[in-house]
Amino acid sequence: MLYFINVILPIPVENTFTYRVSETEYAFIQLGMRVAVPFGKSKVYASIVKAKHTEAPTIYEAKEIHQILDEHPIVTQKQLKFWSWISSYYMCTEGEVMRAALPKAFMLESETVIKLKSDGFVIDELELKDDEYLIYEALQSKSELKVQEVMEILDTKKILPSIQYLIDQGAVEMQEEIYEKYIPKLVKFITLSSDYEGEHTFNKLLEDLSRAPKQREMVLSFFSLKAKTNKPISSKELQKVSGATTVQLNALIKKGVFQIYEKQQDRVGYEGEVYITKTLNNHQELAYNEIKTQFEVKDVVLLHGVTASGKTEIYVQIIEELLAQKKGQILYLLPEIALTTQLISRLQIYFGEKVAIFHSKYSVNERVEVWNNVLKKYDKAQVIIGARSALLLPFQDLQFIVVDEEHESSFKQYDPAPRYQARDSAIVLAAMFKAKVLLGSATPSLESIYNVQTNKYGCVQLKHRHGNILLPDINLVDIKEKMKKREMTGHFSDTLLRAITDALELGEQVILFQNRRGFSPILECTTCGHAPQCPNCDVSLTYHKYRAQLRCHYCGYNIALQKKCLACGSSELTTKGFGTEQIEAELKELYPDRVISRMDSDTTRGKYGFEKLITAFEQEQIDILVGTQMLTKGLDFRNVSLVGIMNADSMLNFPDFRAHERSYQLIAQVSGRAGRTEKQGKVLVQTYNPYHQILQQVSANKFDEMIKEQLEERHTFKYPPFYRLIRVSLKHRDYQKIEEASIWLAKALKQTLGSEAVLGPETPSIARIRNQYRRNVMIKINRTQNLSQTKKAVKRVVTSFNAISQYRSVRLIIDVDCY
Ligand code: ADP
Ligand code: ZN
Ligand code: ZN
C-alpha cells in the first residue's frame, strides 16, 4: 500500500498538496505536524499536515517528503478547522492563513536568512552533528546565510532539522528586527547637586536665588520633601508641592542646582494604588450579573458602557471568576496592542503570572514561547492578551473571549491576506469551542447593534461613569463665525484658547486632537498655484516643518523643503490645511512656559516612543498633548479636564459609507478622555458646520438616535449590516491596462451576479499609490442571498480573469466585509 499526506504550504496556492511518505512515517505523522517538503524546482518549505490517506493524486505524481520536523503537532485540529473557515469566508488560501498564524520560526523556507545569534552564544562544537557543525562553521566566516545556500553547502535538501536544532540551542537566529519585550516606565527624579550639600553653600544658594522667588521656593520645597521621606523625589511631586512650572524647574537644572535622572519604575507601584481587583460599584454589579444571566441564553453579549464606566473592571471580574474555576483559556483581544500599554499593565497587575501577551513586535523566540505555552495549556498562558493575530494561537480549551473596543476598525486586517475581521472571526472560533464572547465598547459598531436588535447578541448597558462623574460636556465652536468676527488665533478659536488657559491655571491637563500629522498637507505657490505632488502617488506632499521636508504619507517619498516654487520660481508659498505639527508649533508660541508634546506616528516611532509619552503625560510632566487618533485608544488619564478637537470637518467629509459612524465614535472616544476621575470634563469641537447631524448628536450624547438614522441610511443605500460587501481591487502600473481590465471584470461580474449587485469599476479617492493605478469593483450581497454561492461565482469570474493573458499581470485583491 502507498501512503500519502496532504499539506498546507505557506504560499498562496489554492489547494493542499499531496506527498508520499513511508509506512513508518505514516504511522508517526499526526495532523498538525510540520513536514519539510520540496516544491517546484528547488524550493523547500515547512508545511503543515492537514490529512493522511492512501489515495494517490491523479493529476500529478506525488513527491516524497524531505523530513518530519516535529514530534508532536504544533497546530491543533481546531486550528485547522478555523484556518479552513477563514480561507473560505475571506476568500484567501489556507497557506495565507498559515503564514499569518505561525511564528516565523516555524516557517523555515528557502528564502529565510539565518545568522549567528548576536549575544555571542558559544556552542560546544563537539556536541554537534556533522550537518549542524557545517552550518555553524559556515556562519563563522559568512555573517548570514539563506536556507537555499545552506542546502548548497550541505549538498542536501534535508537541512531544516539541523537549522532548527541550532535555533533551539540558541546558537543561531533568524534575521529579523528584534524589539525588546519589557517596556519600562521611566520616571524623572530630582536630586540637589552635590555642590550645595553643605550648610554654608546651601545658604549662599538661597541668597543667590533671592531674586527668583519661585525658584527659591522650589529649592526649599525640595528640602522639606527630603526631610519627610527617604524616597527619591520625582519632578512631578516637586512641582506639585512647590507649584512651580517646568520652565522654572528647567532653569534650576540649567544652573546646575538640581540634577535630573531617569529611573525605571515598576508599573506595579504606580500612584501607590493597591492592585487587588476593585469592588464593583452598583451599576457595574448590576451589569455584571446581567451579563452572566444573558450568557445562559446567548453566546455573544455586547457590553455597551459609556467611557470611564469601568468596563475593564467588569471584564476583570469575569475573568477572575473564570480563572478560579480553572475551566479553560481566556482570550482578551485589543485593537492595537502597541497603543494599549496602559491597559496591558493593568491586566498584568491583576493577573500577574497567568497572563501571556502576544505581540507582533516581540521577537520570534518570544512568539514561539507564547505559542507553545498556549498549545501546552501552561499556567502562564491562562489569559492571553493580544491584537487580532492572537486569535490564531493554538488554543486547547478556549472558554471566554473579550473583544475590547469592538467598534475599532483595526480589528480588520487590511493587508496582506487573510483579510479577516478579528471580532467576527472570534465569534466563529468561540463557537467551535462552545465559548462565550463579550464585546465591549462605549460606541459599539452598527453591525453589533444590529445583531443586538435582531436578537443574535445579548446586550447590557452601563450608563454611568464610575463615581457618577458626569459625561463630558461637549460644545461645538463655529469657526466660520469666529473667522468672520476675527476671533481666531491661528487655528484656535478664542473659546478654545480661554478653556485651555483656564484648565492649565487649575493645574489640569489638556488633550488636543487633530486627525492629521505633519505641519500642513499642502504647500501651495500663491503665484502660480502649483503644489508639489508625489511622483509615485496621486497625492500632494505633506509639509513637515520640523524636518524641513515634504513627504508622501503613502509611499514615504520625501524631498527637502524648497524655498521657491518648483514651477515658477516664486518664493511666495503658503500652506493649506494643518496637521499636528502646526498645532504644536502654534501652542508653543501661545504657551511658551508650558510643556507641549505631540503624539503621532512621527513622534512615537522610536523605541518606547509611545510608552515614554504616555508615562510622561500620566506623570503630569506634559501640560498639553496634541495628537492623532492614537489618543483615542482607551487611555485613562486622571488629570485631563479639557479635550479640544481642532477640526471635525475632514473626518465627516471622508468619502466612505462609514465616515459618519466613525466620526461619532472618534469624537465620543476622544471626548471620553476628559474628566475621568473627579469633575466633569469639557470638550470643544471646532467645526465649520456645527449643524451637521452627527455633531449635533455626539454633543447631545444621542447615540441611539445616531444609530437609528445611520441604520436607515445603510438600509436605503444597501450597505452593511443589511448587505455584505466584497471589494475586488485591481492594481497595475499601466493606466490603459487597468482601465480595460477593470471594465472587463465589472462586466463579467454583472453578468454573473446581476447588474444590481455590482458597482463600478470606480476609482478610489487616491487613484495611484506607489506607481500602481487602482480601481475597485464593489459587490453587494443581500443578507438573504446565499453567500457561499455568490463567493463561488466571484471565484469563477476571477479564474476566467486570470486566464486572460494580457491581464495576468494585473493584481486582484479580494476583500470580504471590506472596511
Ligand atoms: P472604561 O473601560 O469603561 O473606559 P475603565 O475601566 O478604564 O473604564 O475605568 C475608568 C476609571 O475608573 C479607571 O481609572 C478605573 O480604575 C476606575 N474604576 C472603574 N471602576 C472602578 C471601581 N469599581 N472601583 C474603583 N475604581 C474604578
Ligand atoms: Zn509657482
Ligand atoms: Zn507617494
Side-chain angles (χ1 to χ4, degrees):
M1 189 148 33
L2 298 177
Y3 298 93
F4 299 95
I5 55 171
N6 293 353
V7 301
I8 305 172
L9 290 165
I11 47 173
V13 287
E14 256 331 290
N15 305 313
T16 54
F17 273 77
T18 306
Y19 288 87
R20 254 189 83 174
V21 291
S22 70
E23 189 175 356
T24 0
E25 284 169 333
Y26 189 80
F28 183 81
I29 287 175
Q30 297 174 47
L31 306 190
M33 282 183 174
R34 283 175 312 154
V35 172
V37 296
F39 186 76
K41 272 201 195 106
S42 63
K43 292 217 163 65
V44 57
Y45 288 108
S47 66
I48 295 283
V49 182
K50 194 188 173 189
K52 293 165 67 172
H53 57 90
T54 52
E55 271 164 57
T58 47
I59 306 185
Y60 54 94
E61 196 177 338
K63 290 182 189 167
E64 282 180 24
I65 65 164
H66 282 163
Q67 231 147 351
I68 302 170
L69 294 171
D70 297 308
E71 284 176 17
H72 304 283
I74 60 151
V75 171
T76 68
Q77 305 264 1
K78 281 241 170 55
Q79 274 181 296
L80 290 174
K81 205 171 135 199
F82 189 45
W83 290 6
S84 145
W85 176 82
I86 293 181
S87 97
S88 83
Y89 187 88
Y90 291 104
M91 299 182 77
C92 62
T93 69
E94 288 183 53
E96 286 168 319
V97 187
M98 167 182 176
R99 207 168 243 294
L102 287 190
K104 257 205 205 147
F106 286 140
M107 298 217 297
L108 290 170
E109 57 193 42
S110 327
E111 292 301 306
T112 306
V113 173
I114 57 166
K115 57 181 194 181
L116 286 184
K117 213 169 158 156
S118 50
D119 55 14
F121 185 89
V122 183
I123 200 165
D124 183 358
E125 295 175 3
L126 295 177
E127 294 278 298
L128 296 176
K129 294 197 196 118
D130 287 352
D131 281 359
E132 290 155 7
Y133 177 75
L134 283 173
I135 301 170
Y136 189 64
E137 179 65 40
L139 280 172
Q140 306 287 345
S141 53
K142 211 168 167 220
S143 66
E144 49 182 65
L145 289 171
K146 276 190 184 171
V147 164
Q148 190 76 44
E149 294 171 303
V150 177
M151 276 186 226
E152 283 152 24
I153 293 167
L154 301 188
D155 197 23
T156 167
K157 287 180 177 164
K158 306 192 174 187
I159 54 155
L160 295 189
S162 315
I163 296 177
Q164 188 78 54
Y165 178 80
L166 290 170
I167 290 175
D168 292 346
Q169 291 301 304
V172 162
E173 66 185 359
M174 288 205 269
Q175 175 104 334
E176 61 153 355
E177 274 183 87
I178 304 282
Y179 293 87
E180 266 177 69
K181 181 173 174 179
Y182 180 63
I183 303 165
K185 175 172 173 141
L186 292 173
V187 178
K188 285 194 178 127
F189 290 101
I190 304 286
T191 54
L192 190 68
S193 158
S194 54
D195 297 349
Y196 299 102
E197 264 169 10
E199 196 176 324
H200 175 70
T201 44
F202 184 66
N203 285 335
K204 169 123 192 349
L205 170 66
L206 290 182
E207 225 179 278
D208 291 347
L209 288 177
S210 58
R211 273 203 258 131
K214 265 282 166 198
Q215 295 180 15
R216 188 164 179 271
E217 204 176 305
M218 202 165 191
V219 172
L220 286 169
S221 301
F222 177 85
F223 242 74
S224 63
L225 268 176
K226 189 114 204 210
K228 263 191 257 163
T229 166
N230 268 333
K231 281 194 287 192
I233 296 161
S234 71
S235 58
K236 176 186 161 192
E237 201 178 357
L238 181 58
Q239 277 177 260
K240 211 165 207 168
V241 170
S242 63
T245 65
T246 308
V247 172
Q248 288 153 351
L249 173 63
N250 286 342
L252 284 172
I253 293 168
K254 239 191 190 149
K255 285 184 190 163
V257 176
F258 284 143
Q259 283 169 346
I260 199 154
Y261 64 100
E262 285 190 336
K263 215 176 118 183
Q264 239 168 265
Q265 194 179 59
D266 222 355
R267 287 195 156 262
V268 184
Y270 163 56
E271 286 283 317
E273 276 181 62
V274 184
Y275 284 93
I276 44 172
T277 50
K278 299 186 168 95
T279 322
L280 296 184
N281 64 40
N282 289 342
H283 304 294
Q284 290 168 332
E285 186 73 34
L286 275 174
Y288 168 77
N289 287 325
E290 181 64 20
I291 291 170
K292 288 209 293 188
T293 313
Q294 295 211 8
F295 273 141
E296 285 167 19
V297 287
K298 291 275 188 326
D299 293 326
V300 184
V301 172
L302 172 67
L303 173 59
H304 179 188
V306 298
T307 52
S309 54
K311 295 181 289 295
T312 319
E313 302 304 328
I314 296 182
Y315 310 144
V316 164
Q317 204 73 241
I318 297 176
I319 293 171
E320 194 167 50
E321 189 178 325
L322 293 174
L323 283 176
Q325 298 167 1
K326 282 226 158 231
K327 275 211 203 120
Q329 295 162 311
I330 294 161
L331 173 62
Y332 194 121
L333 280 184
L334 289 163
E336 262 162 292
I337 202 146
L339 303 183
T340 32
T341 46
Q342 257 191 343
L343 182 80
I344 291 171
S345 37
R346 220 160 127 190
L347 296 174
Q348 268 180 322
I349 284 157
Y350 285 141
F351 301 118
E353 299 282 273
K354 297 170 186 157
V355 172
I357 292 161
F358 191 64
H359 196 313
S360 59
K361 282 194 172 173
Y362 283 179
S363 74
V364 154
N365 293 333
E366 283 160 339
R367 267 177 285 160
V368 170
E369 206 178 299
V370 176
W371 183 281
N372 286 332
N373 291 345
V374 173
L375 181 69
K376 292 173 187 155
K377 245 191 99 176
Y378 284 153
D379 278 352
K380 43 187 164 175
Q382 295 179 58
V383 182
I384 295 100
I385 306 174
R388 56 174 185 253
S389 60
L391 200 61
L392 301 171
L393 284 167
F395 298 102
Q396 290 290 353
D397 57 354
L398 195 59
Q399 64 160 333
F400 183 55
I401 305 181
V402 176
V403 184
D404 197 4
E405 310 288 358
E406 67 87 25
H407 64 279
E408 277 277 342
S409 53
S410 60
F411 279 122
K412 179 72 159 70
Q413 169 135 328
Y414 177 64
D415 209 34
R419 298 182 172 79
Y420 63 113
Q421 212 307 350
R423 172 197 63 211
D424 300 349
S425 306
I427 292 168
V428 173
L429 181 68
M432 290 180 183
F433 282 96
K434 297 194 163 48
K436 301 286 178 187
V437 182
L438 183 59
L439 308 177
S441 173
T443 52
S445 61
L446 282 183
E447 282 82 356
S448 295
I449 295 279
Y450 181 73
N451 283 325
V452 170
Q453 289 178 354
T454 52
N455 255 325
K456 270 175 79 183
Y457 301 170
C459 181
V460 174
Q461 302 250 6
L462 197 52
K463 294 193 165 165
H464 303 265
R465 285 191 147 185
H466 175 65
N468 280 324
I469 300 160
L470 291 175
L471 277 173
D473 178 26
I474 304 181
N475 288 290
L476 306 175
V477 181
D478 184 345
I479 34 183
K480 201 157 77 229
E481 193 65 30
K482 295 278 175 193
M483 295 274 222
K484 254 195 237 150
K485 294 192 186 153
R486 302 184 171 274
E487 288 170 345
M488 295 292 288
T489 310
H491 294 94
F492 292 85
S493 60
D494 57 341
T495 320
L496 181 54
L497 281 181
R498 211 173 314 121
I500 295 175
T501 309
D502 288 351
L504 295 179
E505 266 167 17
L506 290 171
E508 295 159 353
Q509 291 167 290
V510 176
I511 285 181
L512 295 176
F513 171 79
Q514 170 59 10
N515 213 4
R516 190 164 231 158
R517 64 195 167 92
F519 189 82
S520 155
I522 297 171
L523 186 69
E524 202 182 77
C525 167
T526 46
T527 312
C528 77
H530 172 80
Q533 303 283 311
C534 175
N536 313 318
C537 314
D538 284 348
V539 292
S540 41
L541 296 172
T542 299
Y543 171 34
H544 286 247
K545 191 172 189 177
Y546 177 69
R547 295 200 236 170
Q549 266 184 350
L550 297 175
R551 296 187 71 89
C552 171
H553 285 182
Y554 290 85
C555 71
Y557 172 86
N558 60 78
I559 50 173
L561 177 67
Q562 313 286 316
K563 293 273 179 318
K564 286 182 179 164
C565 170
L566 289 174
C568 75
S570 155
S571 54
E572 288 187 20
L573 304 176
T574 161
T575 59
K576 280 198 166 165
F578 62 100
T580 44
E581 209 187 302
Q582 190 164 353
I583 297 305
E584 184 194 20
E586 287 181 12
L587 281 169
K588 284 188 167 156
E589 298 259 308
L590 289 162
Y591 298 98
D593 48 356
R594 295 294 180 170
V595 184
I596 293 144
S597 289
R598 171 161 59 96
M599 185 161 91
D600 54 30
S601 53
D602 295 321
T603 60
T604 53
R605 208 163 278 161
K607 224 183 205 175
Y608 310 139
F610 180 79
E611 181 68 358
K612 271 188 179 159
L613 268 175
I614 291 291
T615 307
F617 198 58
E618 244 173 25
Q619 295 277 319
E620 296 170 31
Q621 288 161 9
I622 295 170
D623 297 310
I624 309 177
L625 187 60
V626 184
T628 56
Q629 74 263 40
M630 272 188 176
L631 287 169
T632 60
K633 315 284 173 191
L635 294 169
D636 187 32
F637 301 111
R638 16 199 65 233
N639 192 35
V640 175
S641 66
L642 174 70
V643 166
I645 294 174
M646 299 307 298
N647 180 329
D649 304 316
S650 61
M651 41 182 167
L652 285 166
N653 298 332
F654 199 72
D656 180 303
F657 71 91
R658 284 191 173 90
H660 285 182
E661 178 193 4
R662 285 237 183 94
S663 306
Y664 187 104
Q665 287 163 340
L666 204 57
I667 296 172
Q669 293 284 351
V670 191
S671 304
R673 304 313 114 207
R676 290 174 73 87
T677 42
E678 274 163 26
K679 63 172 199 188
Q680 183 184 23
K682 183 169 181 160
V683 180
L684 291 172
V685 182
Q686 299 195 137
T687 171
Y688 281 97
N689 188 4
Y691 299 104
H692 194 290
Q693 101 254 31
I694 288 289
L695 296 180
Q696 289 290 328
Q697 286 159 347
V698 74
S699 59
N701 193 22
K702 289 187 174 159
F703 184 78
D704 294 342
E705 184 188 301
M706 180 279 287
I707 290 286
K708 189 166 169 283
E709 280 186 20
Q710 292 302 314
L711 279 177
E712 277 164 13
E713 263 179 45
R714 299 280 183 93
H715 189 261
T716 313
F717 297 104
K718 301 189 172 163
Y719 277 114
F722 303 98
Y723 281 72
R724 291 180 194 278
L725 295 183
I726 300 178
R727 181 175 50 218
V728 187
S729 331
L730 301 93
K731 289 189 190 175
H732 199 272
R733 298 181 74 87
D734 183 344
Y735 184 86
Q736 204 55 43
K737 182 165 280 187
I738 197 161
E739 191 73 13
E740 281 168 27
S742 59
I743 291 171
W744 187 98
L745 184 76
K747 204 168 146 199
L749 285 169
K750 279 176 188 167
Q751 270 163 10
T752 318
L753 302 169
S755 53
E756 276 275 283
V758 181
L759 293 182
E762 48 194 22
T763 309
S765 55
I766 298 165
R768 186 181 52 125
I769 293 179
R770 294 176 194 273
N771 279 321
Q772 302 271 331
Y773 288 97
R774 295 141 38 102
R775 290 287 184 280
N776 291 335
V777 179
M778 196 69 97
I779 302 165
K780 288 185 170 180
I781 307 168
N782 195 322
R783 282 259 165 189
T784 54
Q785 228 166 302
N786 183 320
L787 186 62
S788 62
Q789 263 173 19
T790 310
K791 283 178 185 163
K792 269 190 200 134
V794 172
K795 265 210 171 129
R796 275 200 304 274
V797 173
V798 168
T799 311
S800 339
F801 179 90
N802 287 332
I804 302 171
S805 61
Q806 78 255 36
Y807 297 157
R808 195 161 295 152
S809 55
V810 177
R811 231 186 115 205
L812 273 197
I813 293 161
I814 303 180
D815 193 343
V816 178
D817 294 346
C818 54
Y819 269 60

